[in-house]
C-alpha cells in the first residue's frame, strides 16, 4: 500500500486535512475540498492497466476513475521494472490514459538514483511530479 511510503503526519500538518487511503465509514464527516489535480505516484504496472480498463476494485482506482469522469488533471508517474513496461498492454494502457487527458511522465522519472535507497526503502525523485503539477 502506497500510504506506507508517505509521511502522513507531515501531509496533515501541511494541508490541515486527513490523509485518506481507504473508504470512509458510514456517518463519517470527512468531506475534503475538491483537489485541483491528482498525482498517481508510483503508478505500478497493475494499477495503470486496471485503471485503463476501468476497474474500480480499490479505493485508489475508484478515485482515479472518478477523476477521469470529472475531467480532473491527473499526473501519472509510471514505476515498474523493464520486463513489465515492455509488455504490449502497458503501452496501450498509457496511450489510453493520455487520450483521456492524463499527463504521463517518463517511465523512469521517479526511479531512485543508485545509492539513494535507505533502510526505510527507496527515496523517490519527486521533482518531476512537482514540476508537472506546478505546470497545470
Amino acid at each position: 500500500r502506497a500510504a506506507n511510503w508517505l509521511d502522513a503526519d507531515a501531509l496533515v500538518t501541511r494541508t490541515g486535512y486527513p490523509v485518506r487511503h481507504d473508504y470512509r465509514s458510514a456517518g463519517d464527516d470527512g468531506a475534503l475540498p475538491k483537489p485541483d489535480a491528482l498525482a498517481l505516484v508510483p503508478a505500478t504496472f497493475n494499477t495503470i492497466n486496471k485503471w485503463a480498463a476501468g476497474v474500480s476494485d480499490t479505493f485508489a482506482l475508484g478515485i482515479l476513475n472518478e477523476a477521469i469522469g470529472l475531467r480532473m488533471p491527473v499526473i501519472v508517474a509510471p514505476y515498474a521494472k523493464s520486463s513489465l513496461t515492455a509488455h504490449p498492454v502497458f503501452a496501450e494502457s498509457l496511450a489510453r490514459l493520455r487520450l483521456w487527458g492524463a499527463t504521463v511522465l517518463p517511465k523512469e522519472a521517479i526511479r531512485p538514483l543508485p545509492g539513494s535507497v535507505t533502510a526505510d526503502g527507496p527515496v523517490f525523485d519527486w521533482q518531476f511530479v512537482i514540476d508537472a503539477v506546478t505546470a497545470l
Side-chain angles (χ1 to χ4, degrees):
R1 181 185 292 192
N4 296 336
W5 301 347
L6 296 172
D7 183 345
D9 291 337
L11 286 174
V12 169
T13 299
R14 185 166 188 154
T15 66
Y17 295 103
V19 174
R20 189 173 301 143
H21 57 84
D22 208 347
Y23 299 100
R24 288 188 293 151
S25 298
D28 281 355
D29 182 26
L32 298 173
K34 181 181 173 197
D36 295 324
L38 295 177
L40 176 57
V41 185
T44 65
F45 177 83
N46 192 47
T47 299
I48 286 170
N49 291 323
K50 282 181 152 187
W51 181 26
V55 175
S56 283
D57 64 351
T58 66
F59 179 70
L61 284 167
I63 297 294
L64 291 165
N65 280 309
E66 287 182 9
I68 295 296
L70 293 170
R71 308 240 187 295
M72 183 178 296
V74 181
I75 306 299
V76 182
Y79 186 77
K81 57 187 175 179
S82 59
S83 58
L84 291 174
T85 62
H87 191 287
V89 78
F90 189 73
E92 293 170 11
S93 294
L94 291 177
R96 179 176 285 173
L97 295 174
R98 283 186 192 99
L99 180 67
W100 294 344
T103 300
V104 179
L105 300 179
K107 292 179 197 156
E108 299 297 314
I110 63 164
R111 187 162 302 279
L113 299 173
S116 67
V117 177
T118 69
D120 294 327
V123 177
F124 293 103
D125 182 358
W126 288 91
Q127 197 58 53
F128 268 100
V129 177
I130 293 166
D131 291 346
V133 170
T134 303
L136 294 175

